């Protein structure tokens, strides 16, 4: 179930187009939901995993959890991608775990167009998804380290909390509704949903 936040204020004509950052622990469905949301809206899309430096990928492949020091350069790369979207005047969606409040604050600092969506998933589902997943750099036995580092968003952060259950399409429906994104839907997509 989605928990609505205060609707975002209407953008001024000079404001950068919105960027939705889909967050949550590994296995929460960030990439699946994020790609589906971007596809539905016709927006630019990126998976935050692609921005990890080689050293981070090597650590995760060796089942070593990442530290704050490992994640800061990665977050800054994601921030630069968001800035490029703003420069190009393009709305976008990106998946990023953003486990801690300080990470989310770092991504939002100086970027009022960024909207955060946090996917909520029960532990049993997370374990099942990670165990069933093949070919991903994040191993199921590392979930504990992410949960230990996790600082779920608090109400004052104005992060949309959405239960990642049912189909990805249903989760996307919730995000579009509660983030007031229907105005951005291509006309053909809007007609097909009626």
């Amino acid at each position: 179930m989605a928990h609505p936040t205060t609707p975002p204020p209407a953008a001024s004509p000079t404001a950068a187009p919105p960027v939705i950052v889909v967050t949550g622990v590994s296995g929460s469905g960030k990439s699946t939901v994020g790609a589906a949301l971007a596809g539905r809206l016709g927006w630019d899309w990126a998976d935050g995993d692609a921005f990890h430096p080689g050293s981070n990928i090597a650590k995760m492949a060796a089942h070593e959890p990442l530290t704050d020091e490992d994640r800061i350069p990665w977050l800054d790369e994601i921030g630069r991608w968001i800035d490029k979207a703003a420069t190009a005047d393009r709305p976008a969606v990106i998946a990023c775990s953003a486990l801690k409040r300080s990470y989310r604050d770092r991504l939002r600092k100086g970027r009022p167009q960024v909207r955060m969506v946090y996917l909520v998933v029960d532990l049993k589902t997370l374990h099942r998804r990670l165990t069933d997943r093949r070919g991903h750099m994040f191993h199921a036995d590392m979930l504990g380290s992410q949960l230990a580092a996790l600082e779920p968003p608090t109400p004052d952060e104005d992060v949309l909390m959405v239960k990642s259950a049912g189909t990805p399409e249903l989760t996307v429906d919730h995000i579009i509704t509660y983030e007031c994104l229907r105005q951005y839907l291509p006309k053909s997509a809007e007609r097909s949903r009626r």
Side-chain angles (χ1 to χ4, degrees):
M1 178 178 180
H3 301 285
T5 57
T6 303
S12 71
T14 57
V19 173
I20 308 295
V21 181
V22 183
T23 71
V25 297
S26 189
S28 60
K30 298 183 301 295
S31 299
T32 301
V33 169
L37 177 63
R40 180 93 63 87
L41 295 167
W43 290 7
D44 290 351
W45 156 249
D47 190 326
D49 285 345
F51 296 86
H52 275 296
S55 56
N56 285 7
I57 295 170
K59 283 188 78 169
M60 288 186 281
H63 298 212
E64 294 180 39
L66 300 180
T67 64
D68 286 349
E69 291 72 26
D70 296 323
R71 290 189 179 110
I72 293 306
W74 168 64
L75 291 166
D76 289 345
E77 278 298 311
I78 290 173
R80 282 188 277 276
W81 185 86
I82 294 171
D83 293 340
K84 286 179 183 175
T87 300
D89 200 34
R90 295 186 60 84
V93 180
I94 186 165
C96 172
S97 55
L99 298 173
K100 297 184 179 183
R101 178 168 188 154
S102 62
Y103 301 171
R104 296 186 290 272
D105 288 346
R106 192 177 190 95
L107 289 174
R108 291 208 272 201
K109 186 175 181 181
R111 301 179 181 107
Q113 78 274 27
V114 168
R115 304 183 195 175
M116 295 273 177
V117 174
Y118 175 76
L119 300 181
V120 180
V121 186
D122 64 86
L123 194 56
K124 182 178 179 181
T125 301
L126 285 174
H127 277 295
R128 178 181 51 76
R129 287 179 179 176
L130 290 172
T131 302
D132 292 347
R133 187 161 69 178
R134 296 288 178 265
H136 195 275
M137 63 185 169
F138 189 90
H139 298 275
D141 59 2
M142 293 172 61
L143 177 60
S145 67
Q146 279 210 337
L147 294 173
L150 178 65
E151 296 172 3
T154 54
D156 63 304
E157 286 188 72
D158 196 28
V159 173
L160 177 65
M161 312 278 279
V162 178
K163 188 172 183 181
S164 178
T167 65
E169 290 74 22
L170 183 59
T171 305
V172 167
D173 286 342
H174 288 315
I175 295 170
I176 287 173
T177 297
Y178 289 113
E179 282 292 339
C180 304
L181 300 174
R182 201 163 297 282
Q183 62 182 313
Y184 297 102
L185 284 170
K187 297 302 180 193
S188 57
E190 180 67 13
R191 282 195 300 271
S192 69
R193 299 297 293 179
R194 289 177 182 164

